Amino acid sequence: MRHPVAARLLTAQLVSELGSFVGLAALILLAFDATHSSFGPALVLASRSLPALFVAGVLGRWLGRPPRRTSLMVANLTGAAAVAVCAIAPSTGTAVVSAALLGATRAAFRSVQAAMIAESIPSDLRLPLLGAAGVINQTAQWLGILVGAVVTLTIGVRTSLLLDIVSYLVAAAVLATIAVSPRQAGRVRSKPLDGVRLVASHPVLRPLAALVLASAFSGSLAEALAPAVADAGWVPPSMAAASAGGAVFTLVVSRTDFLRTVANQVRTVMALGASLAATGLLVMAHGPDWLYVLGNASVGAALGWVVGAQATVIDVTPVDRVGHVEATLVAGLITAGGTGVLLLGSIARLAGPGAAYVTGAVVLTATLMTAGRRLTSSTPAVPE
């Protein structure tokens, strides 16, 4: 927090993400109320995929040209406008449109943010910064979804969405105070698929990306399936449990060097697979709601390994390509999460929510058996 850029990035993130998850809870519950099944929330979460891919594949080559501060501010203002679409006329259709626009905004924001970190933050501060950002993300998700679910169910969806809009505007104001660095001028414009090519050809990024995508495939199960699994009073804590677990895990490990090594990252992915399988079996056995909350918390905790993956990506990627690679990975993450929640939501509808959790564990384990072995045999190195 003593670093001028890092402090402002974390402050803006805290404000915007707290509001974003309040709004996301509203969109999910709005879709669930309209469809009376887990398909509605799954559709909202999945709608973020294609716009994010468009940003990474088509717009990614231009994201590095404008000043970083301006790009981050515009992304937040665009997020406010996207939420306003649903706030004006709440429905499943406008919820999908808002979520789609937010998917594009998130991919663009994360791309520029990663590039700013690579340019402005010393390498020894990156993992602590990303760890703090991970704690903020998971805490904001936990509190935001909890508050958003309660506010939406008691007061109404528009109130939650209005809080989201205000948070984006305040975050944009915070980002406006970042000093413009002279190093932000004269960047090289990359080709549309340079991010994909670099990830596919890199011995560390390729298997790391596979594990990130396989983790994201099941990453939204708690939020999407909780309304169909838990009793009414347990829905908010069940939806927020995964982010609570992630916040606690990230807070603990970010104060250590545990996630600096890819071997420990892989071990945490193994724990994620076990947590998914155990939670699925618990749901199949119709276990108590409080135990389901703990299961979702364990899944969210293990998902915290992605913080280490973020630091590794920045360390092994050339500085002038960090933004494009990050946009590619974020778009892939959103797409994997959207595709996963749609497919797993369909499985939940046909075979039950427990089967969805177990399927997610199988997909992750299959990926781990190949990508994990390759990743642990590679030694990340910062490019000269």
Side-chain angles (χ1 to χ4, degrees):
M1 292 301 294
R2 289 192 294 268
H3 192 282
V5 176
R8 286 164 175 79
L9 288 176
L10 292 175
T11 302
Q13 180 187 358
L14 174 62
V15 174
S16 66
E17 290 197 344
L18 186 59
S20 294
F21 288 112
V22 169
L24 180 61
L27 297 179
I28 289 173
L29 291 174
L30 176 64
F32 181 78
D33 184 62
T35 60
H36 301 290
S37 75
S38 58
F39 180 76
L43 183 62
V44 167
L45 293 169
S47 65
R48 301 177 296 176
S49 302
L50 290 179
L53 285 175
F54 177 78
V55 168
V58 179
L59 299 184
R61 59 185 302 195
W62 286 286
L63 289 176
R65 294 180 65 81
R68 307 294 191 206
R69 183 183 68 180
T70 301
S71 297
L72 294 177
M73 291 173 60
V74 169
N76 275 274
L77 295 175
T78 304
V83 176
V85 171
C86 189
I88 294 172
S91 68
T92 302
T94 55
V96 169
V97 171
S98 292
L101 294 173
L102 291 173
T105 300
R106 182 188 176 195
F109 184 91
R110 287 280 299 272
S111 168
V112 178
Q113 182 186 49
M116 178 177 280
I117 291 173
E119 290 178 350
S120 306
I121 307 298
S123 59
D124 61 327
L125 289 183
R126 288 174 190 163
L127 184 58
L129 169 61
L130 292 170
V135 172
I136 288 174
N137 173 266
Q138 295 300 313
T139 304
Q141 186 172 346
W142 168 38
L143 292 177
I145 288 179
L146 186 63
V147 171
V150 172
V151 170
T152 300
L153 292 172
T154 57
I155 301 177
V157 67
R158 279 197 173 97
T159 303
S160 295
L161 296 178
L162 180 60
L163 292 173
D164 192 3
I165 293 171
V166 171
S167 73
Y168 275 118
L169 298 178
V170 173
V174 172
L175 292 168
T177 64
I178 296 178
V180 177
S181 170
R183 288 176 294 175
Q184 293 179 346
R187 301 187 187 94
V188 178
R189 181 166 62 183
S190 57
K191 298 178 181 179
L193 295 179
D194 272 1
V196 176
R197 294 189 187 97
L198 182 54
V199 170
S201 62
H202 198 285
V204 174
L205 292 179
R206 185 173 61 252
L208 187 69
L211 286 179
V212 169
L213 298 183
S215 299
F217 187 77
S218 305
S220 299
L221 281 180
E223 293 86 351
L225 299 185
V229 174
D231 292 334
W234 285 93
V235 168
S238 296
M239 292 178 67
S243 50
V248 172
F249 176 81
T250 308
L251 177 63
V252 173
V253 299
S254 64
R255 300 174 64 85
T256 71
D257 290 334
F258 179 76
L259 289 179
R260 284 192 184 275
T261 65
V262 292
N264 286 337
Q265 293 171 24
V266 170
R267 292 186 183 99
T268 312
V269 176
M270 294 177 183
L272 173 59
S275 296
L276 285 168
T279 304
L281 294 175
L282 169 69
V283 173
M284 290 179 180
H286 303 289
D289 285 332
W290 64 267
L291 201 53
Y292 175 58
V293 170
L294 292 180
N296 281 338
S298 68
V299 171
L303 279 168
W305 83 273
V306 175
V307 170
Q310 287 179 283
T312 301
V313 168
I314 294 176
D315 285 344
V316 304
T317 305
V319 173
D320 60 344
R321 291 290 182 264
V322 167
H324 205 166
V325 168
E326 181 71 9
T328 301
L329 291 177
V330 170
L333 187 150
I334 293 175
T335 301
T339 303
V341 80
L342 268 182
L343 293 177
L344 296 177
S346 299
I347 290 173
R349 192 173 184 180
L350 296 173
Y357 278 93
V358 172
T359 302
V362 170
V363 170
L364 183 61
T365 302
T367 306
L368 188 59
M369 291 175 65
T370 54
R373 188 182 305 111
R374 294 173 184 172
L375 189 59
T376 52
S377 64
S378 302
T379 302
V382 178
E384 296 181 0

